[in-house]
PDB file of all heavy atoms in Angstrom:
ATOM      1  N   CYS A1245     -20.603  -5.577 -19.353  1.00 98.00           N
ATOM      2  CA  CYS A1245     -20.088  -5.219 -20.668  1.00 98.00           C
ATOM      3  C   CYS A1245     -19.883  -6.451 -21.547  1.00 98.00           C
ATOM      4  O   CYS A1245     -20.073  -6.322 -22.794  1.00 98.00           O
ATOM      5  CB  CYS A1245     -18.827  -4.559 -20.517  1.00 98.00           C
ATOM      6  SG  CYS A1245     -17.570  -5.386 -19.579  1.00 98.00           S
ATOM      7  N   VAL A1246     -19.689  -7.626 -20.975  1.00 97.00           N
ATOM      8  CA  VAL A1246     -19.506  -8.861 -21.761  1.00 97.00           C
ATOM      9  C   VAL A1246     -20.792  -9.154 -22.561  1.00 97.00           C
ATOM     10  O   VAL A1246     -20.780  -9.533 -23.724  1.00 97.00           O
ATOM     11  CB  VAL A1246     -19.197  -9.977 -20.816  1.00 97.00           C
ATOM     12  CG1 VAL A1246     -19.067 -11.309 -21.581  1.00 97.00           C
ATOM     13  CG2 VAL A1246     -17.912  -9.791 -20.014  1.00 97.00           C
ATOM     14  N   VAL A1248     -22.969  -7.055 -23.726  1.00 98.00           N
ATOM     15  CA  VAL A1248     -23.278  -6.152 -24.875  1.00 98.00           C
ATOM     16  C   VAL A1248     -22.255  -6.159 -25.994  1.00 98.00           C
ATOM     17  O   VAL A1248     -22.488  -5.534 -27.036  1.00 98.00           O
ATOM     18  CB  VAL A1248     -23.525  -4.642 -24.441  1.00 98.00           C
ATOM     19  CG1 VAL A1248     -24.639  -4.613 -23.449  1.00 98.00           C
ATOM     20  CG2 VAL A1248     -22.233  -4.059 -23.824  1.00 98.00           C
ATOM     21  N   CYS A1249     -21.081  -6.813 -25.789  1.00 98.00           N
ATOM     22  CA  CYS A1249     -20.101  -6.778 -26.764  1.00 98.00           C
ATOM     23  C   CYS A1249     -20.574  -7.548 -28.050  1.00 98.00           C
ATOM     24  O   CYS A1249     -20.911  -8.724 -27.927  1.00 98.00           O
ATOM     25  CB  CYS A1249     -18.810  -7.423 -26.181  1.00 98.00           C
ATOM     26  SG  CYS A1249     -17.479  -7.515 -27.478  1.00 98.00           S
ATOM     27  N   PRO A1250     -20.634  -6.904 -29.207  1.00 97.00           N
ATOM     28  CA  PRO A1250     -21.126  -7.572 -30.342  1.00 97.00           C
ATOM     29  C   PRO A1250     -20.109  -8.464 -31.083  1.00 97.00           C
ATOM     30  O   PRO A1250     -20.449  -9.145 -32.076  1.00 97.00           O
ATOM     31  CB  PRO A1250     -21.511  -6.403 -31.310  1.00 97.00           C
ATOM     32  CG  PRO A1250     -20.566  -5.280 -30.914  1.00 97.00           C
ATOM     33  CD  PRO A1250     -20.171  -5.514 -29.446  1.00 97.00           C
ATOM     34  N   SER A1251     -18.865  -8.439 -30.634  1.00 96.00           N
ATOM     35  CA  SER A1251     -17.839  -9.157 -31.445  1.00 96.00           C
ATOM     36  C   SER A1251     -16.966 -10.171 -30.707  1.00 96.00           C
ATOM     37  O   SER A1251     -15.891 -10.447 -31.068  1.00 96.00           O
ATOM     38  CB  SER A1251     -16.966  -8.149 -32.241  1.00 96.00           C
ATOM     39  OG  SER A1251     -16.201  -7.471 -31.245  1.00 96.00           O
ATOM     40  N   LYS A1252     -17.551 -10.659 -29.599  1.00 96.00           N
ATOM     41  CA  LYS A1252     -16.861 -11.671 -28.784  1.00 96.00           C
ATOM     42  C   LYS A1252     -15.401 -11.226 -28.386  1.00 96.00           C
ATOM     43  O   LYS A1252     -14.445 -12.079 -28.409  1.00 96.00           O
ATOM     44  CB  LYS A1252     -16.806 -13.064 -29.485  1.00 96.00           C
ATOM     45  CG  LYS A1252     -18.090 -13.696 -29.703  1.00 96.00           C
ATOM     46  CD  LYS A1252     -17.960 -15.112 -30.214  1.00 96.00           C
ATOM     47  CE  LYS A1252     -19.239 -15.919 -30.289  1.00 96.00           C
ATOM     48  NZ  LYS A1252     -20.482 -15.253 -30.623  1.00 96.00           N
ATOM     49  N   ALA A1253     -15.373  -9.992 -27.984  1.00 98.00           N
ATOM     50  CA  ALA A1253     -13.995  -9.438 -27.610  1.00 98.00           C
ATOM     51  C   ALA A1253     -13.858  -9.406 -26.117  1.00 98.00           C
ATOM     52  O   ALA A1253     -12.814  -9.010 -25.563  1.00 98.00           O
ATOM     53  CB  ALA A1253     -13.855  -8.022 -28.163  1.00 98.00           C
ATOM     54  N   LEU A1254     -14.874  -9.816 -25.380  1.00 98.00           N
ATOM     55  CA  LEU A1254     -14.790  -9.835 -23.905  1.00 98.00           C
ATOM     56  C   LEU A1254     -15.186 -11.167 -23.368  1.00 98.00           C
ATOM     57  O   LEU A1254     -16.176 -11.816 -23.827  1.00 98.00           O
ATOM     58  CB  LEU A1254     -15.710  -8.748 -23.316  1.00 98.00           C
ATOM     59  CG  LEU A1254     -15.374  -7.307 -23.767  1.00 98.00           C
ATOM     60  CD1 LEU A1254     -16.428  -6.334 -23.228  1.00 98.00           C
ATOM     61  CD2 LEU A1254     -14.007  -6.872 -23.258  1.00 98.00           C
ATOM     62  N   LYS A1262     -11.478 -10.561 -19.467  1.00 95.00           N
ATOM     63  CA  LYS A1262     -10.430 -10.667 -20.427  1.00 95.00           C
ATOM     64  C   LYS A1262     -10.844  -9.968 -21.710  1.00 95.00           C
ATOM     65  O   LYS A1262     -11.918 -10.193 -22.287  1.00 95.00           O
ATOM     66  CB  LYS A1262     -10.179 -12.101 -20.718  1.00 95.00           C
ATOM     67  CG  LYS A1262      -8.937 -12.452 -21.515  1.00 95.00           C
ATOM     68  CD  LYS A1262      -8.744 -14.012 -21.566  1.00 95.00           C
ATOM     69  CE  LYS A1262      -7.880 -14.285 -22.758  1.00 95.00           C
ATOM     70  NZ  LYS A1262      -7.985 -15.682 -23.225  1.00 95.00           N
ATOM     71  N   TRP A1263     -10.007  -9.002 -22.148  1.00 96.00           N
ATOM     72  CA  TRP A1263     -10.220  -8.293 -23.416  1.00 96.00           C
ATOM     73  C   TRP A1263      -9.465  -8.954 -24.513  1.00 96.00           C
ATOM     74  O   TRP A1263      -8.216  -9.025 -24.419  1.00 96.00           O
ATOM     75  CB  TRP A1263      -9.840  -6.872 -23.245  1.00 96.00           C
ATOM     76  CG  TRP A1263      -9.982  -6.008 -24.418  1.00 96.00           C
ATOM     77  CD1 TRP A1263     -10.961  -5.996 -25.379  1.00 96.00           C
ATOM     78  CD2 TRP A1263      -9.046  -5.015 -24.967  1.00 96.00           C
ATOM     79  NE1 TRP A1263     -10.841  -4.998 -26.367  1.00 96.00           N
ATOM     80  CE2 TRP A1263      -9.598  -4.490 -26.138  1.00 96.00           C
ATOM     81  CE3 TRP A1263      -7.811  -4.541 -24.531  1.00 96.00           C
ATOM     82  CZ2 TRP A1263      -8.938  -3.454 -26.831  1.00 96.00           C
ATOM     83  CZ3 TRP A1263      -7.166  -3.540 -25.177  1.00 96.00           C
ATOM     84  CH2 TRP A1263      -7.726  -2.931 -26.433  1.00 96.00           C
ATOM     85  N   ILE A1264     -10.158  -9.380 -25.613  1.00 96.00           N
ATOM     86  CA  ILE A1264      -9.533 -10.040 -26.705  1.00 96.00           C
ATOM     87  C   ILE A1264      -9.316  -9.000 -27.835  1.00 96.00           C
ATOM     88  O   ILE A1264     -10.235  -8.723 -28.594  1.00 96.00           O
ATOM     89  CB  ILE A1264     -10.231 -11.338 -27.171  1.00 96.00           C
ATOM     90  CG1 ILE A1264     -10.429 -12.257 -25.951  1.00 96.00           C
ATOM     91  CG2 ILE A1264      -9.593 -12.047 -28.318  1.00 96.00           C
ATOM     92  CD1 ILE A1264     -11.649 -13.131 -26.033  1.00 96.00           C
ATOM     93  N   GLU A1265      -8.325  -8.332 -27.814  1.00 95.00           N
ATOM     94  CA  GLU A1265      -8.067  -7.108 -28.620  1.00 95.00           C
ATOM     95  C   GLU A1265      -8.275  -7.330 -30.047  1.00 95.00           C
ATOM     96  O   GLU A1265      -8.883  -6.551 -30.772  1.00 95.00           O
ATOM     97  CB  GLU A1265      -6.649  -6.568 -28.278  1.00 95.00           C
ATOM     98  CG  GLU A1265      -6.482  -5.182 -28.808  1.00 95.00           C
ATOM     99  CD  GLU A1265      -5.212  -4.528 -28.392  1.00 95.00           C
ATOM    100  OE1 GLU A1265      -4.379  -5.197 -27.655  1.00 95.00           O
ATOM    101  OE2 GLU A1265      -4.886  -3.393 -28.815  1.00 95.00           O
ATOM    102  N   ASN A1267     -10.277  -9.153 -31.590  1.00 98.00           N
ATOM    103  CA  ASN A1267     -11.739  -9.212 -31.968  1.00 98.00           C
ATOM    104  C   ASN A1267     -12.448  -7.874 -31.780  1.00 98.00           C
ATOM    105  O   ASN A1267     -13.579  -7.756 -32.158  1.00 98.00           O
ATOM    106  CB  ASN A1267     -12.438 -10.196 -30.991  1.00 98.00           C
ATOM    107  CG  ASN A1267     -12.002 -11.697 -31.303  1.00 98.00           C
ATOM    108  OD1 ASN A1267     -11.332 -11.858 -32.255  1.00 98.00           O
ATOM    109  ND2 ASN A1267     -12.487 -12.579 -30.461  1.00 98.00           N
ATOM    110  N   CYS A1268     -11.800  -6.869 -31.156  1.00 97.00           N
ATOM    111  CA  CYS A1268     -12.499  -5.651 -30.774  1.00 97.00           C
ATOM    112  C   CYS A1268     -12.712  -4.708 -32.021  1.00 97.00           C
ATOM    113  O   CYS A1268     -11.725  -4.553 -32.745  1.00 97.00           O
ATOM    114  CB  CYS A1268     -11.670  -4.952 -29.692  1.00 97.00           C
ATOM    115  SG  CYS A1268     -12.438  -3.446 -29.113  1.00 97.00           S
ATOM    116  N   ILE A1269     -13.852  -4.249 -32.153  1.00 97.00           N
ATOM    117  CA  ILE A1269     -14.147  -3.273 -33.308  1.00 97.00           C
ATOM    118  C   ILE A1269     -14.287  -1.967 -32.833  1.00 97.00           C
ATOM    119  O   ILE A1269     -14.704  -0.989 -33.484  1.00 97.00           O
ATOM    120  CB  ILE A1269     -15.426  -3.801 -34.074  1.00 97.00           C
ATOM    121  CG1 ILE A1269     -16.653  -3.788 -33.089  1.00 97.00           C
ATOM    122  CG2 ILE A1269     -15.180  -5.055 -34.829  1.00 97.00           C
ATOM    123  CD1 ILE A1269     -18.006  -3.941 -33.784  1.00 97.00           C
ATOM    124  N   GLN A1270     -13.894  -1.689 -31.533  1.00 96.00           N
ATOM    125  CA  GLN A1270     -13.882  -0.319 -30.933  1.00 96.00           C
ATOM    126  C   GLN A1270     -15.198   0.404 -31.067  1.00 96.00           C
ATOM    127  O   GLN A1270     -15.330   1.597 -31.362  1.00 96.00           O
ATOM    128  CB  GLN A1270     -12.741   0.518 -31.596  1.00 96.00           C
ATOM    129  CG  GLN A1270     -11.412   0.018 -31.401  1.00 96.00           C
ATOM    130  CD  GLN A1270     -10.894  -0.019 -29.977  1.00 96.00           C
ATOM    131  OE1 GLN A1270     -11.514   0.552 -29.037  1.00 96.00           O
ATOM    132  NE2 GLN A1270      -9.791  -0.802 -29.739  1.00 96.00           N
ATOM    133  N   CYS A1271     -16.268  -0.356 -30.747  1.00 97.00           N
ATOM    134  CA  CYS A1271     -17.574   0.230 -30.844  1.00 97.00           C
ATOM    135  C   CYS A1271     -17.997   1.025 -29.563  1.00 97.00           C
ATOM    136  O   CYS A1271     -18.981   1.865 -29.583  1.00 97.00           O
ATOM    137  CB  CYS A1271     -18.614  -0.819 -31.116  1.00 97.00           C
ATOM    138  SG  CYS A1271     -18.892  -1.899 -29.656  1.00 97.00           S
ATOM    139  N   ASP A1272     -17.220   0.808 -28.503  1.00 95.00           N
ATOM    140  CA  ASP A1272     -17.427   1.522 -27.249  1.00 95.00           C
ATOM    141  C   ASP A1272     -18.723   1.108 -26.463  1.00 95.00           C
ATOM    142  O   ASP A1272     -19.082   1.872 -25.503  1.00 95.00           O
ATOM    143  CB  ASP A1272     -17.325   3.017 -27.354  1.00 95.00           C
ATOM    144  CG  ASP A1272     -15.815   3.480 -27.546  1.00 95.00           C
ATOM    145  OD1 ASP A1272     -14.943   2.632 -27.234  1.00 95.00           O
ATOM    146  OD2 ASP A1272     -15.630   4.581 -28.009  1.00 95.00           O
ATOM    147  N   ARG A1273     -19.431   0.097 -26.891  1.00 97.00           N
ATOM    148  CA  ARG A1273     -20.627  -0.262 -26.204  1.00 97.00           C
ATOM    149  C   ARG A1273     -20.291  -0.625 -24.760  1.00 97.00           C
ATOM    150  O   ARG A1273     -21.151  -0.420 -23.848  1.00 97.00           O
ATOM    151  CB  ARG A1273     -21.277  -1.402 -26.914  1.00 97.00           C
ATOM    152  CG  ARG A1273     -22.014  -0.936 -28.143  1.00 97.00           C
ATOM    153  CD  ARG A1273     -23.027  -1.986 -28.695  1.00 97.00           C
ATOM    154  NE  ARG A1273     -23.188  -1.910 -30.044  1.00 97.00           N
ATOM    155  CZ  ARG A1273     -23.716  -2.725 -30.835  1.00 97.00           C
ATOM    156  NH1 ARG A1273     -24.163  -3.849 -30.404  1.00 97.00           N
ATOM    157  NH2 ARG A1273     -23.888  -2.418 -32.128  1.00 97.00           N
ATOM    158  N   CYS A1274     -19.145  -1.250 -24.513  1.00 98.00           N
ATOM    159  CA  CYS A1274     -18.706  -1.735 -23.282  1.00 98.00           C
ATOM    160  C   CYS A1274     -18.585  -0.565 -22.227  1.00 98.00           C
ATOM    161  O   CYS A1274     -19.114  -0.584 -21.122  1.00 98.00           O
ATOM    162  CB  CYS A1274     -17.434  -2.596 -23.325  1.00 98.00           C
ATOM    163  SG  CYS A1274     -16.158  -1.726 -24.224  1.00 98.00           S
ATOM    164  N   THR A1275     -17.932   0.549 -22.685  1.00 96.00           N
ATOM    165  CA  THR A1275     -17.745   1.620 -21.771  1.00 96.00           C
ATOM    166  C   THR A1275     -19.040   2.391 -21.612  1.00 96.00           C
ATOM    167  O   THR A1275     -19.256   2.993 -20.552  1.00 96.00           O
ATOM    168  CB  THR A1275     -16.630   2.617 -22.305  1.00 96.00           C
ATOM    169  OG1 THR A1275     -16.867   2.858 -23.709  1.00 96.00           O
ATOM    170  CG2 THR A1275     -15.227   1.968 -22.137  1.00 96.00           C
ATOM    171  N   ILE A1277     -22.015   1.098 -21.403  1.00 96.00           N
ATOM    172  CA  ILE A1277     -22.844   0.401 -20.391  1.00 96.00           C
ATOM    173  C   ILE A1277     -22.345   0.342 -19.047  1.00 96.00           C
ATOM    174  O   ILE A1277     -23.067   0.171 -18.050  1.00 96.00           O
ATOM    175  CB  ILE A1277     -23.161  -1.028 -21.005  1.00 96.00           C
ATOM    176  CG1 ILE A1277     -24.390  -1.583 -20.165  1.00 96.00           C
ATOM    177  CG2 ILE A1277     -22.056  -1.994 -20.754  1.00 96.00           C
ATOM    178  CD1 ILE A1277     -25.569  -1.908 -20.928  1.00 96.00           C
ATOM    179  N   SER A1283     -13.497   0.552 -17.759  1.00 97.00           N
ATOM    180  CA  SER A1283     -13.467  -0.024 -19.139  1.00 97.00           C
ATOM    181  C   SER A1283     -12.805  -1.425 -18.993  1.00 97.00           C
ATOM    182  O   SER A1283     -11.922  -1.559 -18.243  1.00 97.00           O
ATOM    183  CB  SER A1283     -12.531   0.912 -19.975  1.00 97.00           C
ATOM    184  OG  SER A1283     -12.246   0.198 -21.124  1.00 97.00           O
ATOM    185  N   PRO A1284     -13.366  -2.322 -19.786  1.00 97.00           N
ATOM    186  CA  PRO A1284     -12.682  -3.672 -19.760  1.00 97.00           C
ATOM    187  C   PRO A1284     -11.451  -3.731 -20.701  1.00 97.00           C
ATOM    188  O   PRO A1284     -10.681  -4.747 -20.673  1.00 97.00           O
ATOM    189  CB  PRO A1284     -13.811  -4.544 -20.384  1.00 97.00           C
ATOM    190  CG  PRO A1284     -14.591  -3.658 -21.306  1.00 97.00           C
ATOM    191  CD  PRO A1284     -14.524  -2.270 -20.713  1.00 97.00           C
ATOM    192  N   LYS A1285     -11.254  -2.631 -21.494  1.00 97.00           N
ATOM    193  CA  LYS A1285     -10.134  -2.591 -22.453  1.00 97.00           C
ATOM    194  C   LYS A1285      -8.845  -2.024 -21.718  1.00 97.00           C
ATOM    195  O   LYS A1285      -8.296  -1.034 -22.176  1.00 97.00           O
ATOM    196  CB  LYS A1285     -10.533  -1.753 -23.691  1.00 97.00           C
ATOM    197  CG  LYS A1285     -11.681  -2.346 -24.376  1.00 97.00           C
ATOM    198  CD  LYS A1285     -11.977  -1.555 -25.671  1.00 97.00           C
ATOM    199  CE  LYS A1285     -12.598  -0.188 -25.324  1.00 97.00           C
ATOM    200  NZ  LYS A1285     -12.724   0.633 -26.562  1.00 97.00           N
TER     201      LYS A1285
HETATM  202  S1  LIG B 377     -15.331  -1.639 -27.848  1.00 62.77           S
HETATM  203 FE1  LIG B 377     -15.988  -2.943 -26.172  1.00 62.77          FE
HETATM  204  S2  LIG B 377     -18.070  -3.673 -26.738  1.00 62.77           S
HETATM  205 FE2  LIG B 377     -17.033  -2.868 -28.628  1.00 62.77          FE
HETATM  206  S3  LIG B 377     -16.037  -4.698 -29.551  1.00 62.77           S
HETATM  207 FE3  LIG B 377     -14.536  -3.755 -28.241  1.00 62.77          FE
HETATM  208  S4  LIG B 377     -14.690  -4.822 -26.302  1.00 62.77           S
HETATM  209 FE4  LIG B 377     -16.601  -5.172 -27.478  1.00 62.77          FE
END
Side-chain angles (χ1 to χ4, degrees):
C1245 53
V1246 179
V1248 300
C1249 176
S1251 64
K1252 295 192 171 31
L1254 298 172
K1262 191 174 158 201
W1263 177 42
I1264 305 151
E1265 195 172 357
N1267 290 353
C1268 181
I1269 55 167
Q1270 298 297 347
C1271 67
D1272 285 342
R1273 285 195 205 166
C1274 49
T1275 47
I1277 193 114
S1283 166
K1285 298 184 286 176

